[in-house]
Amino acid sequence: MDFSRYKEYREGYRIEAKSALHGLPSSIWETYSAFANTYGGVILLGVKEAEDGSFIPSGVKDTAPLKKAFWNTVNNPDKVSANLVSDSSVKTFYDGEYEMLAIEIPRARREDRPVFLNDNPYKGTYRRNYEGDYRCSKKEVNAMIRDNASDSSDSSILTDLDFDCLNKETIAKYRRRHEIFSPKHPWINLPLEQYLLMIGAAGKAEGKLYPTVAGILMFGNDWCITNVFPEYFVDYRYYENESETDWIDRLCSSTGTWSGNLCDFYFEVLFKLERILEVPFKLKEAGNVLIRDEETPARIAVREALMNCISNADFSISSGIVVLCKPSGLSLSNPGDIRVGLDEMLAGGVSDSRNKGIMKMFNLLGIGERAGSGVPRIMKIWKELDFDEPEFEEKLETCRTRINLPFSEKRTKEKFIAEKSAIKISDKSRIENERLSSILSYLSAHEVADTAEISEAIGLGASRTRQLLGILVSRRAVLAIGANRNRRYKLSRKELLSVSEKIPGYNN
């Protein structure tokens, strides 16, 4: 901050002005905590905010007692949990006859967060938004506490689970990909449990092997993952029209039609995005597994963005990983804030993923790297592709991070028209069967439900859901109970015996 130009600044995320005519204001400590837990900032003492928001000097009587009061409190652990400032952080500056004080507060390292007051993190932790300081919710505080641990959040060994929770088909596909990428790797031919131990999907406790958190998230069946992380959810949706609410393709966990784990989600979503992006991706089949035939810039950028969401997600927080594809571009969001901070992430060079075990498993397939260069690479590639500049958002209040990868309007419009006309009848049939299967899966877990409940559960509009229910009723897979507004639905007795006979591809 150029203190000679302080009048040109305004209060915001990183600047706070306080008059301090009657000594050190008590509210300074809420701002100290807020700056430390957000992006850092500067507190100006002896400066007032005018009605138009501009700064005007009010001065302080004597900076010496202010400094003494500040240092006495910031060094008192019963008042402030961490002292982040040094002597050079507290500066005196002048404007004519007025003497003022500036205190520069850095963003706290994740190991020091939350920075809280009065020895109470749940009542004394603050963050900054544009309107000022606000007290953090319990969810935000707990997220910061989880992040300040030295261990990766996915390294814990789950001793109450066994390997039956893992999806054998997912593991087999992963091992084939690993072998194709690195055929001479020393772990390739290890026995299964030993292989899982080496890649970090399993850990040893009391002489026995158990799945790790990373192993469950990568390879677990959905029902097992949600037993460990009740808020776990992954969702991909493709919309052919910006204004429509109904998707034409979707892949989400909790449907019961696929594993629901991160490994399968990553490769399936990447494959779907490759079909949609204007820049073509070339794939080849090896051992019944689709792998890259050659790298392209677009693939690298999308892969990095998707990997960024997965490796930095906090699965203890609700809302899950959501990938949206619309004519305007891609949006990828994950629960959890940015551990290194937004500025550091954009600058690159610092890697501090929340899920290092998951990152390791993807690294073994040649996906991602721990150099902190992912985001700068995305920015560079998107510019070279002549797309609009990517946007990165960190919403601390909701503990959520979003990457927006916009397309250029003209090229996108032409591409989506072509994509829409290229959708084959078989694709449309597959999408409809997936939606029908989602309804059957929901009704198998809920004895009776109405259209609104089913619509919300499968993420489809009410009118389209009603049409699909009509198909199931006509096939006698579902029974309709009641009429009009009171109508509800349940599985037929025959459907309860064999769902797969009613819907082609239901077990696929």
Side-chain angles (χ1 to χ4, degrees):
M1 180 176 180
D2 184 351
F3 296 111
S4 67
R5 300 171 55 191
Y6 76 96
K7 290 183 180 179
E8 300 176 18
Y9 296 100
R10 297 291 184 271
E11 281 196 350
Y13 278 104
R14 301 188 179 188
I15 299 180
E16 174 76 15
K18 299 180 184 293
S19 67
L21 280 174
H22 305 291
L24 193 70
S26 59
S27 62
I28 191 177
W29 300 112
E30 294 176 1
T31 304
Y32 177 93
S33 169
F35 280 158
N37 291 320
T38 312
Y39 303 118
V42 178
I43 300 175
L44 301 176
L45 299 179
V47 178
K48 293 192 301 185
E49 187 180 17
E51 290 185 3
D52 63 356
S54 63
F55 288 162
I56 56 176
S58 60
V60 297
K61 294 180 180 179
D62 188 355
T63 59
L66 286 180
K67 289 181 180 180
K68 182 179 179 181
F70 175 79
W71 287 115
N72 286 342
T73 304
V74 79
N75 287 318
N76 181 355
D78 291 332
K79 179 62 180 179
V80 182
S81 64
N83 177 9
L84 305 175
V85 297
S86 61
D87 290 342
S88 61
S89 304
V90 182
K91 303 174 182 178
T92 302
F93 67 105
Y94 302 88
D95 184 358
E97 63 183 271
Y98 295 102
E99 184 179 18
M100 293 161 285
L101 199 65
I103 303 173
E104 296 179 333
I105 301 163
R107 172 186 167 94
R109 302 178 309 155
R110 67 170 176 84
E111 294 86 354
D112 294 324
R113 295 195 299 266
V115 174
F116 55 90
L117 310 177
N118 302 318
D119 205 26
N120 191 328
Y122 292 104
K123 291 186 178 181
T125 298
Y126 293 82
R127 268 181 167 163
R128 187 81 172 175
N129 58 25
Y130 193 78
E131 297 177 352
D133 310 323
Y134 72 92
R135 181 178 291 159
C136 291
S137 65
K138 185 176 180 180
K139 177 178 73 173
E140 288 178 88
V141 174
N142 285 338
M144 285 187 269
I145 291 173
R146 284 194 299 270
D147 278 346
N148 69 21
S150 58
D151 295 334
S152 175
S153 64
D154 62 356
S155 63
S156 300
I157 300 172
L158 303 172
T159 56
D160 56 340
L161 298 179
D162 55 37
F163 291 107
D164 290 339
C165 288
L166 304 183
N167 188 288
K168 294 180 176 60
E169 184 178 348
T170 304
I171 296 173
K173 288 188 292 186
Y174 177 91
R175 293 192 76 169
R176 287 197 295 271
R177 289 188 174 102
H178 189 190
E179 183 176 7
I180 291 166
F181 175 74
S182 183
K184 296 183 179 180
H185 198 283
W187 300 343
I188 293 297
N189 295 317
L190 291 174
L192 177 59
E193 292 189 1
Q194 189 68 21
Y195 178 78
L196 295 176
L197 175 66
M198 299 306 290
I199 67 172
K204 186 173 291 187
E206 298 180 357
K208 295 182 179 180
L209 285 179
Y210 300 94
T212 61
V213 168
I216 289 294
L217 288 168
M218 276 290 283
F219 305 126
N221 291 301
D222 177 76
W223 60 267
C224 187
I225 298 175
T226 52
N227 281 340
V228 180
F229 296 100
E231 303 290 352
Y232 174 85
F233 185 68
V234 292
D235 190 8
Y236 162 83
R237 280 170 271 161
Y238 170 56
Y239 300 83
E240 66 179 357
N241 190 303
E242 199 72 31
S243 62
E244 290 185 2
T245 57
D246 286 355
W247 41 267
I248 66 168
D249 189 17
R250 189 181 190 191
L251 178 74
C252 65
S253 56
S254 76
T255 62
T257 58
W258 63 292
S259 68
N261 58 50
L262 292 178
C263 187
D264 288 342
F265 180 74
Y266 174 87
F267 285 106
E268 182 65 22
V269 169
L270 189 62
F271 178 75
K272 290 175 181 290
L273 292 178
E274 287 169 350
R275 289 180 54 202
I276 294 167
L277 282 174
E278 183 173 324
V279 181
F281 294 101
K282 296 182 180 179
L283 302 176
K284 65 180 179 181
E285 188 171 342
N288 296 321
V289 178
L290 285 173
I291 64 170
R292 67 188 182 210
D293 187 23
E294 63 177 71
E295 291 289 271
T296 65
R299 180 188 173 94
I300 294 171
V302 172
R303 185 180 66 195
E304 291 284 356
L306 185 55
M307 176 54 58
N308 191 76
C309 280
I310 292 175
S311 64
N312 289 297
D314 184 342
F315 295 103
S316 296
I317 300 175
S318 60
S319 299
I321 293 175
V322 179
V323 180
L324 304 178
C325 186
K326 294 184 177 183
S328 60
L330 304 178
S331 170
L332 305 94
S333 61
N334 63 270
D337 58 13
I338 304 169
R339 301 226 297 185
V340 300
L342 183 60
D343 291 344
E344 290 81 359
M345 183 188 74
L346 293 174
V350 179
S351 177
D352 188 18
S353 63
R354 189 169 273 114
N355 302 304
K356 292 181 175 62
I358 291 173
M359 176 65 81
K360 172 186 174 180
M361 285 183 250
F362 279 115
N363 290 163
L364 289 170
L365 304 184
I367 300 167
E369 56 184 43
R370 297 182 181 180
S373 59
V375 169
R377 185 184 300 175
I378 293 171
M379 301 282 285
K380 182 176 182 291
I381 290 173
W382 226 242
K383 182 178 181 180
E384 291 173 349
L385 292 174
D386 198 26
F387 289 146
D388 298 331
E389 185 176 352
E391 299 173 342
F392 299 86
E393 303 176 60
E394 183 185 29
K395 296 190 177 296
L396 297 176
E397 299 94 326
T398 55
C399 296
R400 194 155 189 84
T401 302
R402 184 186 308 276
I403 300 176
N404 295 317
L405 300 177
F407 302 138
S408 58
E409 184 176 352
K410 180 176 181 296
R411 294 171 69 184
T412 302
K413 183 177 180 181
E414 293 173 351
K415 174 60 184 173
F416 268 74
I417 290 174
E419 176 69 21
K420 181 177 179 181
S421 63
I423 296 178
K424 299 177 181 178
I425 298 299
S426 60
D427 289 334
K428 292 182 177 180
S429 177
R430 177 184 58 80
I431 292 169
E432 180 173 280
N433 283 336
E434 288 177 355
R435 291 173 171 176
L436 294 171
S437 298
S438 296
I439 294 175
L440 293 175
S441 177
Y442 181 79
L443 289 175
S444 68
H446 300 78
E447 185 175 352
V448 180
D450 59 24
T451 303
E453 292 169 335
I454 298 170
S455 172
E456 182 178 358
I458 67 173
L460 198 62
S463 60
R464 182 57 178 147
T465 302
R466 199 172 291 110
Q467 292 174 359
L468 294 173
L469 285 166
I471 294 173
L472 291 172
V473 170
S474 68
R475 296 180 180 180
R476 298 182 181 179
V478 168
L479 299 177
I481 305 170
N484 299 329
R485 295 182 181 179
N486 296 322
R487 179 167 294 173
R488 308 188 78 190
Y489 299 89
K490 70 175 184 178
L491 292 181
S492 68
R493 185 172 181 180
K494 187 174 183 179
E495 181 64 26
L496 285 169
L497 295 176
S498 179
V499 170
S500 60
E501 293 179 2
K502 289 292 180 183
I503 306 299
Y506 181 75
N507 287 326
N508 291 343

